[in-house]
């Protein structure tokens, strides 16, 4: 047994982690349909004007704006209809003074016209009306030049940067790339995350459970959180608790990934060997964080790759994944920091914390209050049954019932 005699505050641990995290430099080209949520690796320049032509912004009539000046409900201007223009068609006639063209929203504006009158502000004059000939249109309101017209290049001009390097590709930004006519885009590769569970007692879900064994929980929670925050999880077979097996697993993982995440084996028992393996193959940056749950966490480097050894208890492992792995992944993936949605509610019951350790404490939201959900570090339902968590600072030993707490929602 090798007890953890000193622990780092969580903020110091994060700072040391970030010092060892180069963002992934690899670039890959992906189809636009797969670009959402990725990060642009280069400035993307539009090759075309957007829109590529002057277009109608409303269903109505393309006109010369000056022909409508002075129009009113009782003194309409009457224009001669010379053409109908649908989307996807090219106008064939030029509008002269006293003329108009029926036009659909998005259709190209005809030459000569400089505005669109909404159809609701017009009336077609029938053949039966003696005051107007066939194909005449009464206009009941004036329009000004360029009214209801989308000007060529108003959105983007050819040569404009549609999306800058380092930009998160939100749905709207993917739309900007589509408008620029791009079918593919260069993005930063997702960090490859090797995920290894350790322990002779770990069994694969779906297989029979031998006596004394437990199903592997951490592999799947770590895969899910990695995928959710921009990483490419690469789960590996569970490694037995021997120096030789763990060393081989670590060496392979470091060679084939950008970051290695172990779960289990980071504590102080005779078979908690991750610390020894990292020391033998590389460098241990710290062992032990002043958090609850999740104290027995180790961070180091092997062959230049960051290695994070997480506690084996499922709640400890997953809570530290939120506090350490998530910010690590987002730095490596060039993603903006994670900003969980926070709601402030009164605490339903008194919570006693451990002085000197920053606590990650899960809660449910019930009847407008934060109901404690934490059971124990080994109980995954401490997380699964929770809506989010509160953080209790290391210097706080009690949070009283009724106190307003900030809940970070999962």
């Amino acid at each position: 047994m090798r007890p953890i005699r000193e622990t780092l505050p969580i903020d110091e641990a994060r700072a040391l982690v970030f010092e060892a995290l180069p963002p992934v430099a690899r670039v890959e080209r992906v189809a636009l349909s797969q670009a959402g949520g990725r990060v642009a690796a280069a400035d993307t320049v539009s090759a075309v004007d957007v829109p590529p032509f002057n277009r109608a912004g409303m269903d109505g009539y393309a006109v010369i704006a000056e022909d409508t000046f002075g129009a009113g409900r009782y003194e309409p201007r009457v224009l001669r209809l010379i053409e109908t223009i649908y989307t996807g068609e090219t106008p064939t006639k030029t509008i002269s003074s006293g003329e108009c063209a029926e036009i659909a929203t998005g259709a190209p504006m005809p030459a000569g016209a400089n505005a669109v009158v909404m159809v609701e502000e017009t009336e077609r004059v029938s053949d039966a009306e003696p005051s107007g000939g066939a194909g005449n249109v009464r206009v009941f309101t004036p329009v000004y030049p360029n009214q209801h017209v989308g000007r060529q290049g108003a959105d983007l001009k050819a040569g404009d940067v549609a999306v800058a390097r380092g930009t998160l590709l939100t749905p709207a930004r993917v739309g900007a790339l589509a408008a620029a006519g791009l079918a593919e885009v260069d993005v930063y590769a997702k960090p490859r995350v090797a995920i290894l569970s350790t322990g002779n007692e770990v069994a694969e879900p779906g297989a029979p459970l031998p006596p004394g064994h437990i199903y592997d929980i951490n592999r799947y929670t770590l895969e899910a959180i990695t995928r959710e925050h921009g990483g490419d999880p690469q789960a590996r077979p569970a490694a037995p608790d021997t120096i030789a097996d763990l060393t081989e697993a670590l060496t392979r993982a470091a060679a084939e990934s950008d970051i290695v995440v172990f779960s289990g084996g980071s504590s102080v028992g005779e078979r908690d060997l991750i610390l020894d393996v990292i020391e033998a193959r590389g460098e241990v940056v710290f062992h032990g964080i002043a958090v609850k749950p999740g104290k027995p966490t180790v961070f180091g480097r092997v062959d230049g790759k960051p290695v994070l050894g997480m506690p084996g208890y499922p709640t400890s492992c997953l809570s530290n994944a939120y506090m350490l792995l998530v910010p690590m992944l987002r730095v490596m993936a060039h993603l903006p920091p994670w900003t969980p949605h926070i709601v402030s509610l009164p605490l339903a019951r008194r919570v006693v914390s451990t002085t000197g350790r920053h606590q990650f404490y899960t809660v449910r939201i019930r009847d407008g209050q934060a109901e404690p959900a934490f059971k124990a570090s080994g109980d995954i339902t401490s997380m699964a049954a929770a809506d989010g968590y509160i953080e209790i600072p290391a210097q706080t030993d009690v949070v009283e019932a009724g106190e307003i707490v900030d809940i970070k929602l999962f």
Side-chain angles (χ1 to χ4, degrees), residues 101-125:
E102 186 178 10
I103 195 165
T105 301
M109 289 289 289
N114 64 358
V116 173
V117 181
M118 295 172 56
V119 67
E120 293 85 351
E121 300 293 343
T122 66
E123 180 184 49
R124 290 283 287 270
V125 179

Side-chain angles (χ1 to χ4, degrees), residues 268-291:
V268 297
E270 288 183 7
R271 291 189 175 181
D272 292 312
L273 303 173
I274 292 299
L275 186 67
D276 299 318
V277 172
I278 296 174
E279 284 181 334
R281 290 283 291 107
E283 170 196 10
V284 172
V285 177
F286 63 76
H287 180 216
I289 308 176
V291 295

Side-chain angles (χ1 to χ4, degrees), residues 347-353 361 370 372 397-402:
L347 190 63
R349 288 190 281 113
R350 188 175 193 251
V351 172
V352 177
S353 186
Y361 195 86
D397 57 357
V398 174
V399 185
E400 296 290 353

